[in-house]
Amino acid sequence: GQQVMQIPQYQHVQEGEDFTTYCNSSTTLSNIQWYKQRPGGHPVFLIQLVKSGEVKKQKRLTFQFGEAKKNSSLHITATQTTDVGTYFCAPGGSTLGRLYFGRGTQLTVWP
Amino acid sequence: KAGVTQTPRYLIKTRGQQVTLSCSPISGHRSVSWYQQTPGQGLQFLFEYFSETQRNKGNFPGRFSGRQFSNSRSEMNVSTLELGDSALYLCASSLAQGANGELFFGEGSRLTVL
């Protein structure tokens, strides 16, 4: 399948600090999606990136797709306790599409 | 618009038993994918169904099977349960085959095998 590596696996930050998770692929991706799963919840779609070098913002969240379309990042500015959860990236575009997710980055935010 | 519905939400089984989980996708969605989620392995793809046909299958033993009905509802079955099958089983529906579109997840069925 179309595999991606996601780092770090865990991140603990104090409220107000920034957070970044990275998603790396050995192959060129057509697009990439990001999902968030709150503790005890299910993954929820956040965003899809399609274009090389694309940057999208959602309030304090900034998503970036690399120029070579082999990597992506999610950056959260000034984390809040509501940001707690696991963030997954999911590659798309091949026959297998989005079926294989990254392992996720589990974010803990200390008040 | 109703979301993805999974039943049952929680269940407890013993080793050797079998279990059937159900998933009703969002109306109009023809693709249903199943995932197994465990703390150590993240989201592991099981299989995907589109128009009643299994289109893709992950790396799971034959004890894991599924099917999709004409109304797009899907079931997955696990036979001869093992302790390691304890997990959250998530179903996701999508408009497009191959899950190339946005995935809408259900709340999951949490299976405990004793």
Side-chain angles (χ1 to χ4, degrees), chain A residues 31-83:
Chain A
N31 57 70
I32 194 161
Q33 291 183 349
W34 286 90
Y35 290 77
K36 176 185 177 180
Q37 184 176 21
R38 294 181 185 274
H42 57 277
V44 174
F45 172 81
L46 291 176
I47 208 160
Q48 174 168 296
L49 304 172
V50 179
K51 299 177 183 177
S52 168
E54 187 171 16
V55 178
K56 285 189 176 180
K57 293 190 176 185
Q58 290 179 351
K59 297 183 180 178
R60 293 177 296 103
L61 277 61
T62 302
F63 303 84
Q64 191 162 2
F65 203 7
E67 292 290 340
K69 300 182 76 173
K70 288 186 175 182
N71 57 73
S72 181
S73 64
L74 158 58
H75 179 82
I76 302 179
T77 303
T79 54
Q80 300 177 357
T81 54
T82 53
D83 296 324

Side-chain angles (χ1 to χ4, degrees), chain A:
Chain A
Q2 201 169 24
Q3 303 282 2
V4 290
M5 292 291 295
Q6 201 171 344
I7 54 172
Q9 190 172 353
Y10 302 97
Q11 186 76 57
H12 304 269
V13 300
Q14 193 142 22
E15 192 172 20
E17 292 182 338
D18 292 355
F19 158 77
T20 305
T21 175
Y22 300 90
C23 188
N24 299 310
S25 170
S26 58
T27 60
T28 301
L29 306 173
S30 294
N31 57 70
I32 194 161
Q33 291 183 349
W34 286 90
Y35 290 77
K36 176 185 177 180
Q37 184 176 21
R38 294 181 185 274
H42 57 277
V44 174
F45 172 81
L46 291 176
I47 208 160
Q48 174 168 296
L49 304 172
V50 179
K51 299 177 183 177
S52 168
E54 187 171 16
V55 178
K56 285 189 176 180
K57 293 190 176 185
Q58 290 179 351
K59 297 183 180 178
R60 293 177 296 103
L61 277 61
T62 302
F63 303 84
Q64 191 162 2
F65 203 7
E67 292 290 340
K69 300 182 76 173
K70 288 186 175 182
N71 57 73
S72 181
S73 64
L74 158 58
H75 179 82
I76 302 179
T77 303
T79 54
Q80 300 177 357
T81 54
T82 53
D83 296 324
V84 165
T86 301
Y87 293 84
F88 295 95
C89 64
S94 73
T95 302
L96 292 176
R98 200 162 319 291
L99 301 176
Y100 293 89
F101 280 67
R103 293 283 291 269
T105 295
Q106 186 176 319
L107 173 64
T108 303
V109 181
W110 296 334

